Amino acid sequence: MKMQMQMGNQFSVFSPDLECIFLDGIHECTREEATRSDPALRQFFPESDYGPYREWWNSGKPDEEGNIIYERFDECIQYVSEILAKEHFDGIIGFSQGGSLAANIVAMSIKGQLQSSHLKWAWIQSSFIPRHSSKSLHVANDLFSQLKSSGTEKLSNEIKVLVTTHEQDPIVPSRATRSLANAFPDSTYISFPGKVHRLVSLRDPADPNVQAIKSFFSSIS
């Protein structure tokens, strides 16, 4: 629900008939995990009214070989993949950790590892290339390495990728978000001024960045 509220001013760049589906995190937080959540979130959405807090994945401790393991990352990929296979979704949007999850989904789709994916576009905000290490087919590092090395190789699926961030993001450095954008062929990267980690604001229609985002979505048939 917090994501829905923050996206309010971003809907202006989409067609009026756009329908957005917001997915709940697959993991129901324990009491200890809930106390670590954003204080503002707890204030606006008390558990007494809205039920237990939920989340997607978290970065766990490195394994014996030093590989980074994301807790529940594989389960999240499976969950989102199954939903994409059941319905016809034109695009996917993700912010921060959710953006990394979305980026992995897009990478899988481009490399032909997703069944029944109809994705045409992705909007990834203030995110980073996931470093999750897994023996499954969607090994994140391998996927993005393959994308970077594809060059002019014909990819199995064309998805337009928009990546946005703030220049001085204190949580996810803009250089990390740019690296993610560079991993996708012909992606559009737009950096907004500001020292915040949140969704970019599109309230000013005269802002060149806002106009560029509108142009990006206008180009999608």
Side-chain angles (χ1 to χ4, degrees):
M1 185 171 290
K2 182 181 180 184
M3 182 73 165
Q4 296 180 49
M5 293 175 63
Q6 291 182 343
M7 277 197 67
N9 71 83
Q10 294 189 341
F11 290 129
S12 63
V13 301
F14 298 113
S15 167
D17 59 357
L18 173 78
E19 179 184 4
C20 285
I21 305 298
F22 291 84
L23 303 181
D24 290 328
I26 64 172
H27 176 66
E28 184 175 305
C29 296
T30 64
R31 178 63 59 182
E32 180 182 355
E33 290 170 334
T35 58
R36 297 197 298 266
S37 63
D38 187 338
L41 183 68
R42 298 200 301 271
Q43 177 182 355
F44 284 105
F45 306 109
E47 288 187 75
S48 56
D49 295 336
Y50 294 92
Y53 296 113
R54 308 187 70 86
E55 64 181 14
W56 291 93
W57 59 271
N58 280 319
S59 179
K61 296 180 180 179
D63 62 16
E64 296 179 352
E65 299 178 355
N67 298 315
I68 301 296
I69 304 297
Y70 290 165
E71 298 172 356
R72 300 183 298 276
F73 192 79
D74 289 352
E75 290 85 347
C76 289
I77 291 291
Q78 182 65 29
Y79 174 66
V80 176
S81 299
E82 290 175 354
I83 291 178
L84 291 177
K86 292 178 182 177
E87 303 287 344
H88 188 120
F89 288 92
D90 290 330
I92 186 170
I93 302 173
F95 168 74
S96 197
Q97 285 189 325
S100 294
L101 180 65
N104 204 87
I105 290 288
V106 173
M108 291 173 62
S109 185
I110 290 176
K111 297 303 293 184
Q113 295 184 9
L114 275 187
Q115 298 297 322
S116 304
S117 173
H118 303 282
L119 292 177
K120 297 179 181 178
W121 57 267
W123 186 0
I124 301 169
Q125 306 189 45
S126 302
S127 304
F128 49 92
I129 294 177
R131 296 192 297 157
H132 177 60
S133 179
S134 168
K135 293 182 179 179
S136 60
L137 287 177
H138 49 270
V139 180
N141 285 330
D142 289 349
L143 276 172
F144 286 97
S145 294
Q146 291 168 17
L147 286 178
K148 287 180 178 180
S149 63
S150 292
T152 57
E153 172 189 343
K154 184 177 180 180
L155 299 173
S156 62
N157 190 18
E158 292 185 3
I159 300 176
K160 292 189 175 182
V161 179
L162 170 65
V163 181
T164 59
T165 189
H166 288 95
E167 294 174 354
Q168 301 181 62
D169 189 316
I171 305 299
V172 179
S174 58
R175 64 178 181 277
T177 304
R178 178 180 283 278
S179 293
L180 186 150
N182 291 340
F184 292 104
D186 301 321
S187 66
T188 297
Y189 175 80
I190 301 175
S191 179
F192 282 68
K195 192 176 182 180
V196 292
H197 181 64
R198 66 185 182 200
L199 301 179
V200 296
S201 173
L202 308 185
R203 288 190 172 89
D204 182 4
D207 186 333
N209 285 338
V210 175
Q211 295 177 359
I213 291 176
K214 288 185 175 180
S215 177
F216 172 87
F217 284 107
S218 296
S219 69
I220 299 172
S221 57

